[in-house]
Amino acid sequence: MKENKHYSRGNFIQTSAVAGAALVLADPLQLFSNDMSANIKAKGYAGMGEQGKLVPWNFERRAVGDNDILIAIKFSGICHSDIHTVRGHWGKQQYPLVPGHEIAGIVMAVGKNVTKFKIGDKAGVGCMVDSCMECESCKHGEEHYCDRHETAFTYGFPDKTSPSGITQGGYANNLVVRDHFAIRIPDNIDLQHAAPLLCSGITTYSPLIKANFKRGDKVGIAGIGGLGHIAVKLAASKGADVYAFTTSPSKVDDIKKFGAKEVIVVDSLDKLKPYYGKLDFLLSTIPYAYDISFYANVVKPYGTMTQVGMPIGGHITSDYFQMMGNRVNINASMIGGIPETQEVMNYCADNNLLPEIQIIHATEINDAWEKVVNKAARYRYVIDAATF
């Protein structure tokens, strides 16, 4: 992450929104001191190791730079990725580590070069907070695939500008971020519903859009949790006949209400056989290791299956003989770039397409994590940041 030049109080852009924003500042914990070149005090919940629970932690953000904005976080979604990361499922981490990359709040300060936001605007941050901004991928709206491998993810990523040495995420009361990597949240969607769109929304929207399916095409969604449920809504809203594959019988009625034409409870792989070769596209959000080949079989020959769920260690298995016979093209997708993330935010706001959420207090985070792991979430937990 690039170094940011600090600036004085006089460099802040002053707008009429300051009065409204002052309501947010009426918080027992000041978001920033009178010295605007100082680090920003923050408080949140952090993991202290792979095995432990998240605990309250006071820490500091970097001072607001010329190209930065300061966001007072109002809501932060809980993603399965948070659990995988803090528990070391994808590799060793540095602690303390504040997770969270579904962040929605209010802009409290802006750097002198910032024109995208003003004080008082609604803003959100997803899975990344910086990149080189100069390579072909970055210049074409795919900052998450930075050709120079300089994508800085929202938490746990080495960051020389961070007082803790790594990026710290959204289970906290504030965030300092480069303005380019913040998303404008429209007035016609509330912050608590906007937050999950910054990961679960874009992670599913991007591959669905790239699949170029037509109205009436058969689109499968495997794994109906935080990502899968919004994927069903998105695909149905685009005119697909949605076939949802779940291992949770208790979710069937919900999934139908989300817009699925048919729901298949996969309590054994035999339940997939009637659908072999029937679907035009399959999106899998399954976050644990499984045999991908049997799910790929439900796609028509030379069709496509995209994997977005990230298993422990990144490993999935496949049966070569099944793959050789089904002739299905399999790929993986990460999130989406900043333009595409803004696109899904606007689309969901304009179409009142909202994730199913449960608001929780910070003290409930550890319990919520266990419910996510045990498939008990319905369907996205969102933390009220006022409780940090």
Side-chain angles (χ1 to χ4, degrees), residues 280-339:
D280 296 287
F281 174 70
L282 177 67
L283 177 67
S284 172
T285 73
I286 298 171
Y288 290 108
Y290 71 107
D291 191 324
I292 198 170
S293 52
F294 288 92
Y295 277 86
N297 282 340
V298 305
V299 181
K300 293 176 181 177
Y302 306 108
T304 300
M305 173 182 179
T306 298
Q307 177 72 31
V308 295
M310 179 66 77
I312 294 174
H315 300 299
I316 55 177
T317 60
S318 65
D319 182 321
Y320 176 77
F321 293 107
Q322 296 286 332
M323 298 301 297
M324 182 173 59
N326 64 33
R327 294 160 289 165
V328 172
N329 299 305
I330 296 177
N331 61 33
S333 179
M334 193 165 35
I335 44 174
I338 295 301

Side-chain angles (χ1 to χ4, degrees), residues 17-18 20-25 31-32 69-75 103-110 117-125 173-175 183 185 187 189-191:
V18 172
L23 295 175
V24 182
L25 281 175
L31 290 175
F32 49 83
I69 63 173
L70 170 66
I71 298 174
I73 299 173
K74 296 301 181 182
F75 295 97
I103 302 162
I106 303 295
V107 176
M108 300 307 301
V110 297
F117 294 95
K118 65 181 183 300
I119 295 170
D121 282 349
K122 295 161 68 176
V125 175
N173 66 335
N174 61 43
L175 180 72
I183 302 300
I185 297 177
D187 290 336
I189 186 170
D190 54 48
L191 292 173

Side-chain angles (χ1 to χ4, degrees), residues 251-292:
K251 295 180 179 179
V252 171
D253 290 342
D254 285 346
I255 298 168
K256 289 179 179 178
K257 291 176 183 176
F258 300 155
K261 178 176 182 176
E262 192 169 340
V263 183
I264 301 91
V265 177
V266 188
D267 49 16
S268 74
L269 291 176
D270 287 341
K271 294 295 181 65
L272 298 172
K273 289 182 178 179
Y275 301 90
Y276 279 8
K278 302 296 186 184
L279 306 189
D280 296 287
F281 174 70
L282 177 67
L283 177 67
S284 172
T285 73
I286 298 171
Y288 290 108
Y290 71 107
D291 191 324
I292 198 170

Side-chain angles (χ1 to χ4, degrees), residues 176-189:
V176 176
V177 64
R178 186 172 179 173
D179 64 331
H180 177 85
F181 290 86
I183 302 300
R184 294 186 62 87
I185 297 177
D187 290 336
N188 55 338
I189 186 170

